Amino acid sequence: MCGIVGFIGKNPEHVLLNGLKRLEYRGYDSAGIAVKSTDKIELFKAKGEIKNLEKVILPIANADIGIGHTRWATHGKPDEINAHPHVSGDKTWAVVHNGIIENYTELKTKLMGFGYGFYSETDTETVAKLLEYYFAKDGDEISAVSKTISAIKGSYALGILKKDKDGIFFAKNKSPLFIAKAGEEIMLASDIICFKGFAEEYYPLTDGIFGYASRGNIVFYDKLGETKIAPVALDLGEYDNLNTYKHFMIKEIFDTKTALKNIIEYYSEKTNYDKLKDFDFSGITRVKFVGCGTAYHACLLGADMFCEKTGIEATAYVASEFRYQKVKLGSDTMVVLVSQSGETADTLAAFELAKESGAYTIAIVNVEYSTLAKRADAYFPIKAGVEIAVASTKAFSAQLSVLNVFAGIFAKKIGSETDPLSDLIKLYETFDYGNLNDFKLLADVLRYNDNLFMIGRGNDYYVAQEASLKIKETSYINSNTYYAGELKHGFLALIDEQTYVITFATDKNVLSKTLCNAEEAKARGGKVILCTCFDLSPSDAENFYYVVRVKELGNSLQAVLNIVPWQIIAYYISINKGLNPDKPRNLAKSVTVE
Ligand code: AGP
């Protein structure tokens, strides 16, 4: 995904840069701005992070409008040529775009047939040429914008400048875009975090909305003509205050207990607790949990919790696979979509399929103004607060907590007497972050590995998958996860005296078997790091290379206590290797393309 910002007011280049720095979590392989002075548009672009762009920007006399973009490349390699903004052949129009134009090659061929040349490999450049083409035909900007967005298929959030217009055109479909006004000044952004300190309220654009903003005025259109959008209050908290922390990732890990408290408070409120009261779920026979990456790992654990509490069959799916598997969907199915951002394209595509099939759709989401939160039949916020680091940490723990509460609320609806909050309250009372020095020590040992081996059974295996993902995405170590019982069926061949085997063993039903699997690895020279909540005899304890002790919870939210040490260890491995855990290479915080 990419970050878009637009500004109408004094010193636009300064405001645009600040906005892009706030959006850098959305993609950071190149960046650019277009600034309009009296009668021309100046372009500045750079490969890499925003700080490279900052070096090339020159002050522009009489500049009072601009658009900016930070890119996570989809079409065309990350370089200056492909960096946004992109311009029309006559340099009249400049465009920044987040999303994918699925029919851009067909449009590009048509435009080339009309004599238009192209300088980049991007799909976005087609938008700039289309604006030029339609404006040349009927000489009206809004009509040109309307015809352009009608011609393109796919997802877009667009910010558009025209060199002789004192305003910004915008359009939104499937990629997030918001706009705010402060007196005469206007700001357009992909995420409302850009409005912090600028405005107290903002306009959430929905799919199909386009318009024009000029000094102190915003006009919205939909396909029927001019329309109105009600502003909503901006409520961000202190998300961007790093306090004493060096990175957002470690700050957000240590925000976990606050998130748990927020969730308990929120779902103790009767209206929030009763979210399902208007639904008749008597006909539900199947529940499907769908997400990507960390959210998928939450789905694995959430499906297990749901089945345990309700007795209804529940299955987890990777969102990008969900549409292509032979999945039975209908009015007897409930689809629970889990997403921190609520904008992940694969998850939104799964949502559309579920919707079309008549299934109930439930969103377990962090970003409350997101597409998924707005469009699902029922929405359960995870109340984790803004999460900036690409590696999701507090949001994962919050997802598990709300999935547990959701399962409890559903169970209560079908007759259970158990308080849906009881597991979470016990987690909150038991929760601590463990021994930081232990985790720093382990990180220092593990940092030198190219590969890591993680094993577990059942929910321990799911937690191990999430621990592996944290280490992969923040330190680039190839950590892989195997079912403990599967080692002897082939994976043992990978183990030698250099191999660290991280073993998750917190489920007493399979504890002895998991410890035997760890022994199998140890017998082949593997150095076993055991993560457990059980007391070991001194002889057992000295049997392992290291023991990470977590508290025993006695319910399925044990997974939260198990993952936090590995979020912290992943963070320290990353900084020990001199990497930036907040902005891992090749990644972005929310992937709004499929
Ligand atoms: C997790 O650390 C990654 N950033 C990634 O796997 C992420 O969980 C995935 O892209 C899903 O994002 P979402 O929760 O915003 O939908």
Side-chain angles (χ1 to χ4, degrees), residues 79-242:
D79 62 17
E80 221 171 291
I81 295 211
N82 290 322
H84 299 208
H86 286 291
V87 294
S88 55
D90 61 4
K91 305 281 187 296
T92 302
W93 300 84
V95 179
V96 288
H97 166 228
N98 176 28
I100 283 209
I101 312 290
E102 289 162 7
N103 60 335
Y104 88 98
T105 41
E106 171 203 328
L107 293 169
K108 190 168 175 174
T109 308
K110 213 177 271 178
L111 287 160
M112 289 168 88
F114 295 140
Y116 287 85
F118 285 81
Y119 56 81
S120 80
E121 303 163 281
T122 68
D123 54 342
T124 305
E125 189 188 350
T126 313
V127 176
K129 270 41 180 198
L130 275 174
L131 289 162
E132 178 183 1
Y133 168 74
Y134 284 118
F135 185 72
K137 280 167 78 76
D138 52 17
D140 175 89
E141 286 90 357
I142 276 294
S143 162
V145 171
S146 173
K147 285 178 181 169
T148 296
I149 59 177
S150 302
I152 59 181
K153 292 191 183 75
S155 56
Y156 55 81
L158 295 171
I160 302 166
L161 286 190
K162 185 166 181 279
K163 75 174 184 181
D164 56 352
K165 292 293 284 182
D166 291 335
I168 298 175
F169 297 92
F170 54 86
K172 188 258 190 229
N173 187 50
K174 296 186 182 173
S175 293
L177 193 62
F178 308 92
I179 193 163
K181 183 157 65 87
E184 291 283 288
E185 295 186 334
I186 300 282
M187 192 180 288
L188 181 75
S190 306
D191 191 320
I192 62 168
I193 58 176
C194 289
F195 301 148
K196 183 164 178 158
F198 172 70
E200 301 302 318
E201 61 182 21
Y202 66 94
Y203 297 91
L205 305 188
T206 49
D207 288 353
I209 291 291
F210 62 101
Y212 179 64
S214 52
R215 289 189 76 82
N217 188 43
I218 307 172
V219 184
F220 300 105
Y221 299 91
D222 60 21
K223 56 179 183 297
L224 302 175
E226 196 170 330
T227 185
K228 292 275 176 237
I229 293 182
V232 293
L234 186 70
D235 172 18
L236 284 169
E238 283 305 305
Y239 84 92
D240 56 346
N241 184 348
L242 268 176

Side-chain angles (χ1 to χ4, degrees), residues 442-461:
L442 263 183
D444 222 14
V445 167
L446 297 176
R447 60 169 286 192
Y448 297 103
N449 291 272
D450 296 327
N451 300 289
L452 281 179
F453 224 87
M454 293 198 177
I455 65 171
R457 287 171 180 255
N459 284 356
D460 278 334
Y461 172 78

Side-chain angles (χ1 to χ4, degrees), residues 242 245 247-260 384-389 391-398 431-434 436 439 466 470 474 560-561 563-574 581-582 589:
L242 268 176
Y245 295 106
H247 298 97
F248 280 108
M249 182 178 174
I250 193 70
K251 172 183 180 288
E252 288 157 4
I253 293 169
F254 284 102
D255 277 350
T256 298
K257 188 154 190 180
T258 304
L260 301 181
V386 176
E387 186 177 71
I388 293 291
S392 189
T393 52
K394 64 174 178 176
F396 177 67
S397 299
F431 186 91
D432 70 21
Y433 294 99
L436 203 52
F439 305 149
E466 175 58 16
K470 284 293 103 32
T474 54
V560 173
L561 297 176
I563 192 61
V564 169
W566 291 94
Q567 294 171 340
I568 296 170
I569 290 166
Y571 170 77
Y572 281 106
I573 295 176
S574 178
D582 285 349
K589 180 59 181 170

Side-chain angles (χ1 to χ4, degrees), residues 292-295 339-342 344 347 390-392 399 469-470 473 589-591:
C292 301
T294 289
S339 172
Q340 190 285 132
S341 64
T344 299
T347 312
V390 167
S392 189
Q399 283 165 349
L469 176 59
K470 284 293 103 32
E473 63 178 335
K589 180 59 181 170
S590 160
V591 183

Side-chain angles (χ1 to χ4, degrees), residues 55 178 204 327 394 416:
K55 292 174 195 153
F178 308 92
V327 181
K394 64 174 178 176
S416 161

Side-chain angles (χ1 to χ4, degrees), residues 12-13 35-38 40 42 44 57-64:
E13 59 272 31
V35 177
K36 184 185 154 324
S37 57
T38 37
K40 66 189 289 217
E42 296 281 354
F44 301 97
I57 291 179
L58 302 171
I60 311 287
N62 311 319
D64 56 4

